Amino acid sequence: MTTTTTTTSTSTPMTQPITADNIVRLFPDIDTTPTAAAGTTSQDGDLAGYDDEQIRLMDEVCIVLDQDDTPIGTASKKTCHLMKNIDRGLLHRAFSVFLFDSKSRLLLQQRASEKITFPDMWTNTCCSHPLGIPSETGAELEASIQGVRRAAQRKLLHELGIPAAQVPLDNFKFLTRIHYKASSDGKWGEHEIDYILFIKADVDLDVNPNEVRDTRYVSDDDLKAMFEEGTLDFTPWFQLICQSMLFEWWKHLDGDLRTYQEETAIRRM
């Protein structure tokens, strides 16, 4: 398995904890109103040479969090994914969908070459961010879970062409949250509290090539063989989930998965 640099510590001795009281002082670009509209700040040197559509998506508004997953502001996707901000503690909300078909095979995707972060890497079915809009933002856990379900439905359509009717909101099972930090290339990276969602459905795919290079359904043994192959790249969050929890959850997909659902503690990876 080819690895990506992954920081398993969620803070460093020099990082000041980010709170509602200091967020604007530390990051003047943060909007602390409850929700915010997308801006047009992406056209600058940081994004020169990247794909136009992926640059446009960098203006999407992410939910900025404190260490306890409480929303304390919003910022552009670009602001949230620059390592210079991540290394100072900037943290945002995300989700990872694991979609299984009726044969209990997991749908993987290989991220498109056009992606600014972690291009060409294999990962779980869909990984993205709820937006800083009322329908996808929540402060309490139950509302937050519902927000990421809506975001997951939206992004499964955008990336893979899966109609919302094939992935009803109530069919997404929330398992847990992981807090991790990872660098993509030194300039871009991730620092997220990531909501893990399982769903079982047979779906129709209409892949967006600007988002997804390839897809593959795999059994648990198939996925282990992919890791052992040694020539494939995997996203750091997917590696962390596979190394710690995925195969145990997978064994219980058609049985007592409920035992693993609705975890309230945040797993610090």
Side-chain angles (χ1 to χ4, degrees), residues 131-147:
L131 300 178
I133 58 177
S135 63
E136 296 185 10
T137 301
E140 301 302 322
L141 183 57
E142 184 176 350
S144 301
I145 292 169
Q146 196 66 5

Side-chain angles (χ1 to χ4, degrees), residues 23 36 69 78 93 97 103 149 154 161 163 183 199 234 244 266:
I23 185 72
D69 193 31
K78 176 203 160 186
R93 185 173 289 168
V97 173
K103 299 178 181 178
R149 284 172 173 152
R154 171 176 56 81
S183 174
I199 187 168
F234 297 89
S244 59
I266 300 170

Side-chain angles (χ1 to χ4, degrees), residues 2 11 37 56 102 136 189 191 196 203 260:
T2 304
S11 63
R56 185 189 69 79
S102 57
E136 296 185 10
H191 187 206
I196 310 303
V203 297
Y260 301 92

Side-chain angles (χ1 to χ4, degrees), residues 45-60:
D46 285 324
L47 290 160
Y50 289 106
D51 174 79
D52 286 345
E53 174 61 11
Q54 293 298 320
I55 290 174
R56 185 189 69 79
L57 292 172
M58 279 298 200
D59 280 326
E60 289 185 336

